[in-house]
Amino acid sequence: MKVWLRLVRGMRGWVVTGWIVALAVAFSWAQMVPGEMAEYSEPPLIEPPQSPQPPHSPRPPFMPPPPTPLPPEQAAPFAPALAPVGPSSEWGEMIGGANRLAPPTPVVQLHVRAPAQVSPDREIEYRLTVENVSSAPAHHVLVRDRLPRGVDKNIRAEPKATEQKKTKDGDTDLLWDLGTVKPGEQKVIVLAIKPKGNEDVQNRAYVQFEYGQKVTTRIAKPGVRVKTTAPPLAIRYEAVSFQIEVANTGAAPLRNVVVTDELPVALEFVSGKPEPHADKPLTWKLGDVPPYQIRRIEYQAISKQTGTFRNNVKVTAAGGVSAADSAGVTVGEAKLKISISAPQRRLVNRPVPYHITVGNVGSVPLTNVQVSDELPPGGVAFVSASSGGRREGGFARWSLGNLKPGELRSLLVVLRMPTPGRYRNAVQVQASYSPAERADGNIEAKARSEETRIESARVPVLEIDKNTDWLVVGQKAIYTIRLFNPGKDNVLHPSVLVEVPNEMSIIAVRGESTGQQRGQKVFFDPVKVLDGGEEKAYTIEVEAKKAGEAKLRAWWTDGRQE
């Protein structure tokens, strides 16, 4: 009994406390300004109502008409459908499930903001925000706003509507053509209208856009490409190899492939792999070539003429497929020439000059040109050699390197004969050429000089030397005339007379005495004395004027003769 009394007393205390709190809250509410709660309960902008018109409105609920599709010619470019290459792009796999590589789909949202309540004499401003929230562009974006009935005709819109038109029901639609909205892009339209009465105003806005895909299905078809190759340089009377490559560049077989090659008349067919089915023109029937495969033809021909020739190749196949190509080859000739000249007479133990001329008279470059001069027997002494010549045993040798077609090289070797007699000198030249078909080929040429008579004398003699054995019109040369006294007796007042051939013109004269030119002749004044064993030297520089064989002559006199 005591326990229950304690519980009752406790409950009474809690009840009294609750009444006190309730009275305090009621007193605080009584102090608030009327209308303050309504102001806090309404935000400045709210979403437009999504429900139909209120029950008290006489108009039926508004049902937006379906968007009008745009004509095909205004459709935006379609994004290509990405399908995996190979078997995964076949119909069977695409039907079995969604294409995992499909491009993203655009998503466009429309947000309309409007005041919840305005005074009857104020305009209502709407903010229509169009936003592309996807990663794909949306094309031909069109915003349509159906104006409420019972509003003022003076409408403010920024930007201005693209079009304004009436519907069948008498409503007015404002249209904004926004074009393409890029991913993440926003576009805002501000629309302000002014109601005429006291009825609530409902405004409806819509957005539509276009999105599509374009796919391409390729039809397999064959393609042909032909390539003809030939060496750029070939040698006359040597085999030349030609290669023909026929490639099917398409995804379908190439049927009934025929190759024809119009070989130039100067080239004669020798053999082929495979062998042709006909030779005028050369014809190969290759049959069918699978997709992306290559067929090769190789054949050899010999040219009996020099010059540049071109053979034309054509490939045809079923369905009108064809291709053509050509290749050119220059046929040249490897040819060497060598000559050697020597004086007709010389004294014993006097220098004997031999002029050697090496020329590439062919039409192909020559390499590794080697010249050798086998010294005459009988104790002949090697004195000197020009252009890097050297003595190797009983030979004088030169390494000339390369010779271009038409190029000439002049060499000089000087020997000394110890005994009287008749001597001849033999020279040889070897060179290589490089046809494209095989390893280097070799050619050679030989020459032998005229006899040189070596003799003894006791009276003065003239020796004529020249710095070159060949001259081209316009080139210059120097002749050296030596007056040598091999005896022991002195010769008084000797003079020298030189006659230059008409094929040359005299440029300059020099010597032990003054030279006087008279036409094509040069008279050198006498010297006082020519001692035994002494020599006097005179030089004449000339220039070649016209082609031909030219000989320069010289005499000496002791001053007692005219």
Side-chain angles (χ1 to χ4, degrees):
M1 188 66 179
K2 291 180 180 180
V3 174
W4 281 105
L5 289 175
R6 290 177 181 175
L7 290 175
V8 170
R9 291 175 183 175
M11 292 177 61
R12 289 178 180 176
W14 283 107
V15 170
V16 172
T17 303
W19 277 106
I20 294 173
V21 172
L23 290 174
V25 171
F27 179 78
S28 63
W29 283 356
Q31 302 299 320
M32 295 181 64
V33 180
E36 188 175 359
M37 292 181 64
E39 183 176 349
Y40 277 99
S41 64
E42 294 182 0
L45 294 175
I46 63 172
E47 296 287 343
Q50 303 298 324
S51 60
Q53 293 183 352
H56 62 271
S57 174
R59 297 178 58 190
F62 177 80
M63 298 298 292
T68 304
L70 296 176
E73 61 272 10
Q74 298 182 6
F78 289 106
L82 300 178
V85 178
S88 61
S89 62
E90 298 292 338
W91 273 105
E93 184 160 332
M94 292 185 66
I95 294 175
N99 189 352
R100 291 171 294 179
L101 298 179
T105 303
V107 177
V108 178
Q109 294 181 354
L110 174 63
H111 303 278
V112 182
R113 307 290 290 178
Q117 180 177 329
V118 297
S119 301
D121 57 344
R122 296 185 61 184
E123 66 179 11
I124 305 173
E125 183 177 281
Y126 300 93
R127 294 180 63 87
L128 286 67
T129 302
V130 178
E131 181 179 7
N132 185 350
V133 297
S134 68
S135 59
H139 303 289
H140 290 188
V141 178
L142 185 67
V143 176
R144 179 166 56 91
D145 188 281
R146 177 155 294 179
L147 295 178
R149 296 182 179 181
V151 297
D152 197 324
K153 294 182 179 180
N154 295 324
I155 300 171
R156 178 169 58 87
E158 181 63 34
K160 293 183 178 180
T162 307
E163 184 181 356
Q164 179 175 339
K165 61 182 180 180
K166 290 286 187 178
T167 65
K168 295 180 180 180
D169 298 333
D171 294 324
T172 300
D173 284 347
L174 297 180
L175 302 177
W176 287 268
D177 187 355
L178 303 183
T180 298
V181 179
K182 300 177 182 178
E185 185 180 7
Q186 286 186 352
K187 293 191 177 182
V188 178
I189 300 173
V190 177
L191 174 65
I193 61 176
K194 188 174 182 180
K196 292 182 178 180
N198 296 327
E199 297 292 334
D200 292 345
V201 178
Q202 284 190 344
N203 189 23
R204 293 175 176 84
Y206 309 90
V207 64
Q208 69 182 53
F209 62 93
E210 286 187 359
Y211 167 72
Q213 294 184 6
K214 179 176 71 175
V215 295
T216 300
T217 301
R218 296 180 179 176
I219 306 301
K221 53 187 176 182
V224 64
R225 184 187 71 239
V226 60
K227 181 180 180 181
T228 306
T229 57
L233 180 65
I235 304 301
R236 187 181 182 185
Y237 299 120
E238 294 187 3
V240 184
S241 291
F242 294 87
Q243 293 85 31
I244 303 174
E245 285 189 357
V246 179
N248 182 354
T249 59
L254 201 60
R255 307 290 186 185
N256 301 327
V257 179
V258 178
V259 180
T260 57
D261 186 343
E262 297 179 4
L263 200 63
V265 178
L267 298 176
E268 181 179 337
F269 175 79
V270 177
S271 62
K273 184 180 180 181
E275 291 292 336
H277 296 82
D279 57 357
K280 291 185 179 180
L282 295 174
T283 304
W284 289 268
K285 297 180 180 180
L286 303 183
D288 297 343
V289 179
Y292 310 114
Q293 297 296 313
I294 296 177
R295 294 289 184 266
R296 292 181 174 87
I297 299 172
E298 294 185 5
Y299 70 90
Q300 289 74 41
I302 291 180
S303 174
K304 297 182 179 180
Q305 301 178 17
T306 59
T308 299
F309 309 100
R310 180 168 292 275
N311 64 320
N312 301 310
V313 177
K314 185 177 181 180
V315 177
T316 59
V321 181
S322 65
D325 193 21
S326 63
V329 58
T330 298
V331 179
E333 187 173 13
K335 196 172 182 181
L336 263 177
K337 183 178 181 180
I338 188 171
S339 63
I340 182 171
S341 65
Q344 294 179 352
R345 301 173 63 183
R346 271 296 190 267
L347 295 179
V348 173
N349 288 324
R350 290 290 294 172
V352 181
Y354 289 90
H355 289 274
I356 304 170
T357 302
V358 180
N360 181 355
V361 293
S363 55
V364 297
L366 299 177
T367 60
N368 193 27
V369 180
Q370 302 290 331
V371 178
S372 61
D373 180 357
E374 186 176 3
L375 304 182
V380 174
F382 174 85
V383 178
S384 64
S386 67
S387 305
R390 62 199 181 277
R391 180 175 181 176
E392 294 181 358
F395 293 86
R397 300 187 187 278
W398 292 263
S399 297
L400 303 185
N402 302 332
L403 279 181
K404 300 177 182 178
E407 185 178 1
L408 297 176
R409 297 281 184 89
S410 294
L411 309 175
L412 175 65
V413 60
V414 180
L415 307 178
R416 182 180 287 115
M417 284 60 171
T419 57
R422 297 177 182 272
Y423 293 85
R424 280 190 170 185
N425 196 2
V427 291
Q428 178 180 351
V429 60
Q430 293 180 331
S432 301
Y433 58 92
S434 300
E437 297 300 306
R438 54 178 177 79
D440 289 351
N442 297 313
I443 57 173
E444 65 177 25
K446 298 179 180 180
R448 195 175 184 187
S449 69
E450 297 291 337
E451 282 187 346
T452 299
R453 188 171 62 185
I454 305 300
E455 55 190 10
S456 299
R458 295 183 179 181
V459 296
V461 295
L462 283 173
E463 298 174 349
I464 302 176
D465 293 333
K466 52 192 175 182
N467 66 339
T468 182
D469 199 36
W470 289 74
L471 275 181
V472 179
V473 174
Q475 286 186 339
K476 298 177 182 180
I478 297 178
Y479 285 87
T480 302
I481 299 97
R482 294 182 177 88
L483 178 60
F484 175 64
N485 183 3
K488 297 181 180 180
D489 298 332
N490 298 337
V491 178
L492 299 177
H493 308 294
S495 62
V496 175
L497 168 64
V498 180
E499 183 180 13
V500 178
N502 293 328
E503 290 82 5
M504 300 176 178
S505 61
I506 301 172
I507 297 177
V509 296
R510 294 179 294 274
E512 298 288 343
S513 60
T514 304
Q516 300 178 12
Q517 181 179 347
R518 300 174 188 174
Q520 291 295 104
K521 295 181 180 180
V522 178
F523 296 87
F524 289 95
D525 294 340
V527 295
K528 186 175 181 180
V529 63
L530 181 64
D531 296 331
E534 184 183 8
E535 74 174 37
K536 301 292 184 181
Y538 307 87
T539 60
I540 296 180
E541 185 177 359
V542 298
E543 181 179 350
K545 295 193 302 182
K546 59 181 179 179
E549 185 177 354
K551 290 185 178 182
L552 183 141
R553 299 180 180 184
W555 300 267
W556 77 275
T557 177
D558 59 3
R560 293 174 295 180
Q561 303 179 21
E562 290 293 333

